[in-house]
Amino acid sequence: MKAVQAVRFGGPEVLVPGEVPDPVAGPGQVVVDVAVAGMSFVETQIRRGTDRWHARPELPYVPGGLVAGRVSSVGAGVDGAWTGRRVIAATGETGGFAEQAVADVGELFPVPDGLGSPEAVALHSDGSTAQGLVEGAGIRPGEWVLVEAAAGGVGSLLVQLARTAGARVVGAARGSRKLELIRALGADAAVDYSDPDWTRQVVEATGGAGPDVVFDGVGGRIGREAFEVTARGGRFSVHGAAGGEVTVIDPAEARRKGVEVIGIEQLMGFGAHVARWAEHMMSEAAAGRVRPVIGQTFPLERAADAHAAIEDRTALGKTLLLI
Ligand SMILES: NC(=O)c1ccc[n+]([C@@H]2O[C@H](COP(=O)([O-])OP(=O)(O)OC[C@H]3O[C@@H](n4cnc5c(N)ncnc54)[C@H](OP(=O)(O)O)[C@@H]3O)[C@@H](O)[C@H]2O)c1
């Protein structure tokens, strides 16, 4: 079958299309004919070899941890009724950038009728993360919420979920195309954080008090500056470091400011809830209350361009391979 492999750690050019043996379902596993392969920001860091959170895959490896498609065969001990069903399948950190992928049967999630496979992939991964973050931060109606990387996969959903929770939203991102998208998603204000003055604009948008809730998916300088303007009594929720180091706040400093910090370690508790959160997001999408933004899609052989779009920050919303 056709697949894309990372032949070494490095830039997007290490993703090389080629042929690999067809996979076979082992006991408790299925093979999925892949229609859509998802990817996330952290997978670009794994490919670069700079990620510190996941075990390094052995080279060469097929990237992609989440696919959608139909089950084409099942292994020993798996109910044959799965065959032919349209599913989302988590493949672990690797294996998705291929015509076929293997997954444990416990990692399958049926795609509801009426929902497209690309939308289902976006909602299962970024959607469940966004829902988990929103539940963790406990947004109250009328609060001001600041979302960083608000035009990205997780960010574009956080903007919408915060609005649905009755909050007022400031979305922050880089560049006018992204600010336009953030406004179209319903944010009350959109601010460009490549402007050195950006936090003053955030404070101004929130009527002088600063945001009650911050979703920090960027870290580094941006995360630190966002913490500085978080309102007293607010929550500062950390979920990523796309732009640098993870934001770590000294607990004494947080206490002095009267801000509750929900650190990056919150993500470790997310796994057990993914199915419930994904299901919730899919029903929200079916009801028209949330819309996954699929900004760009690529064919399998252009996987390198897909990763490059994420890393050079031209991508809007979710990036997918259509196979
Ligand atoms: N996807 C998930 O389910 C998931 C789960 C756990 C944690 N996270 C974390 O959540 C954050 C967002 O993840 P995502 O998958 O939805 O990615 P994404 O937001 O679609 O892409 C990364 C975003 O980071 C921003 N960014 C800021 N500085 C950057 C830099 N130096 N290089 C590249 N991008 C930069 C970019 O927006 P601007 O150009 O507008 O700044 C870009 O939109 C990441 O930190 C990720 O590790 C994601």
Side-chain angles (χ1 to χ4, degrees), residues 276-287:
R276 175 171 64 85
W277 288 335
E279 205 164 342
H280 173 76
M281 290 299 284
M282 288 183 197
S283 60
E284 287 293 286

Side-chain angles (χ1 to χ4, degrees), residues 39-43 45 124-130 133 148-156 172-175 178 182 193 216-219 222 239-244 264 267 270 310-319:
M39 67 199 81
S40 65
F41 180 79
V42 81
E43 290 178 7
Q45 296 179 307
H124 188 278
S125 54
D126 299 357
S128 58
T129 301
L133 293 171
E148 301 167 13
V154 173
S156 58
R174 187 183 77 165
K178 292 185 178 180
I182 292 164
Y193 48 38
D216 173 35
V218 173
I222 301 292
H239 65 277
I264 186 94
L267 297 177
F270 276 26
I310 295 174
E311 290 174 279
D312 69 15
R313 300 169 72 173
T314 55
L316 293 177
K318 190 76 186 159
T319 305

Side-chain angles (χ1 to χ4, degrees), residues 52-117:
R52 283 189 245 141
W53 304 92
H54 304 82
R56 267 191 167 207
E58 251 177 62
L59 293 170
Y61 74 94
V62 174
L66 190 73
V67 300
R70 286 192 191 276
V71 175
S72 56
S73 64
V74 303
V78 177
D79 187 346
W82 279 106
T83 308
R85 285 187 80 177
R86 197 163 65 103
V87 295
I88 298 282
T91 58
E93 309 302 336
T94 61
F97 286 14
E99 289 179 311
Q100 293 191 313
V102 173
D104 292 341
V105 69
E107 300 292 341
L108 300 184
F109 188 94
V111 178
D113 290 341
L115 188 67
S117 296

